[in-house]
Amino acid sequence: DAGVIQSPRHEVTEMGQEVTLRCKPISGHDYLFWYRQTMMRGLELLIYFNNNVPIDDSGMPEDRFSAKMPNASFSTLKIQPSEPRDSAVYFCASSFKEEKLFFGSGTQLSVL
Amino acid sequence: RKEVEQDPGPFNVPEGATVAFNCTYSNSASQSFFWYRQDCRKEPKLLMSVYSSGNEDGRFTAQLNRASQYISLLIRDSKLSDSATYLCVVVFAPEIIFGSGTRLSIRP
């Protein structure tokens, strides 16, 4: 298996633009997580899905952030409009039965 | 009080030394425990699970103390390549809680 695949690896955008991050989980995994990591706040859980259904989005910072999982093999995290404080590394992770998480390589987002 | 707490370090130890980290958790009903390793600018990767009876994987030993609500990671004969941030993870379904990580730096 190729592991969790995220795209793009790097994204540089200007404030106010829409940003879409993509994730393909490991086949057969039933949980998918979106995390954000910064030096100041460490690893923060934004939202997670179980069998494509959002379970807990309490970590989503504000209405500018939205996430979808239209099927078992694809998820997106969208920020609209983006702000400089959104600059961070965004990780997607998947797991089977919410145990061991496998992370993608992350998307380094820079909002200028 | 944070649900999972770790000493952020950094721990700076010479090659060959033994080093140990602890991670405390607040929920006594927590079910599963793990250690992850994260290298600079990389994603966290599962290092090992932590079992009630304690477990070893080569130079790494993980232990769980339910009475005192902490888990530990012991690294023997440390190598330069062990330099990384070590994150503890505590699972109380459906919550998976990451510690903030302990930075370890091994010097020659």
Side-chain angles (χ1 to χ4, degrees):
Chain A
D1 198 318
V4 176
I5 299 173
Q6 288 186 248
S7 64
R9 288 296 305 274
H10 303 276
E11 177 80 31
V12 180
T13 191
E14 292 186 345
M15 182 174 63
Q17 297 297 306
E18 177 179 295
V19 174
T20 299
L21 311 182
R22 297 173 176 78
C23 176
K24 177 177 169 32
I26 293 173
S27 177
H29 281 187
D30 54 353
Y31 282 85
L32 184 139
F33 305 80
W34 282 101
Y35 285 89
R36 176 172 70 177
Q37 188 172 40
T38 61
M39 287 292 291
M40 291 297 293
R41 296 189 297 270
L43 198 62
E44 301 174 281
L45 176 64
L46 300 176
I47 185 172
Y48 76 92
F49 296 81
N50 176 220
N51 292 323
N52 314 340
V53 176
I55 302 301
D56 183 357
D57 65 354
S58 59
M60 296 285 261
E62 43 197 277
D63 291 345
R64 298 184 297 106
F65 285 69
S66 62
K68 293 182 180 179
M69 192 166 186
N71 57 61
S73 59
F74 184 64
S75 176
T76 59
L77 177 68
K78 187 176 292 188
I79 308 172
Q80 167 64 20
S82 57
E83 296 182 3
R85 60 192 168 120
D86 301 331
S87 298
V89 180
Y90 290 80
F91 288 109
C92 174
S94 71
S95 72
F96 178 63
K97 291 191 174 182
E98 207 181 19
E99 283 283 321
K100 302 168 187 176
L101 269 63
F102 294 84
F103 285 79
S105 300
T107 295
Q108 174 75 60
L109 174 65
S110 297
V111 184
L112 306 177
Chain B
R1 183 186 169 194
K2 289 185 179 179
E3 294 177 330
V4 176
E5 293 204 46
Q6 288 186 255
D7 183 338
F11 286 63
N12 190 320
V13 301
E15 199 173 2
T18 295
V19 61
F21 321 125
N22 280 351
C23 170
T24 59
Y25 60 94
S26 59
N27 189 337
S28 60
S30 295
Q31 300 150 327
S32 307
F33 308 86
F34 304 91
W35 283 102
Y36 282 71
R37 169 195 169 127
Q38 186 173 23
D39 293 290
C40 187
R41 301 185 186 280
K42 300 279 191 179
E43 72 275 20
K45 291 185 178 178
L46 179 66
L47 179 65
M48 58 197 303
S49 303
V50 186
Y51 302 119
S52 297
S53 54
N55 48 296
E56 263 187 37
D57 183 1
R59 298 180 294 107
F60 297 81
T61 300
Q63 291 191 312
L64 166 64
N65 186 317
R66 284 195 181 272
S68 300
Q69 294 181 206
Y70 73 86
I71 62 173
S72 63
L73 178 67
L74 180 80
I75 306 175
R76 289 181 300 277
D77 188 23
S78 54
K79 312 292 184 190
L80 295 175
S81 57
D82 294 334
S83 297
T85 296
Y86 291 84
L87 302 147
C88 65
V89 175
V90 175
V91 179
F92 177 61
E95 289 191 86
I96 300 176
I97 303 170
F98 277 79
S100 55
T102 298
R103 280 181 52 204
L104 173 65
S105 179
I106 308 297
R107 62 179 187 270

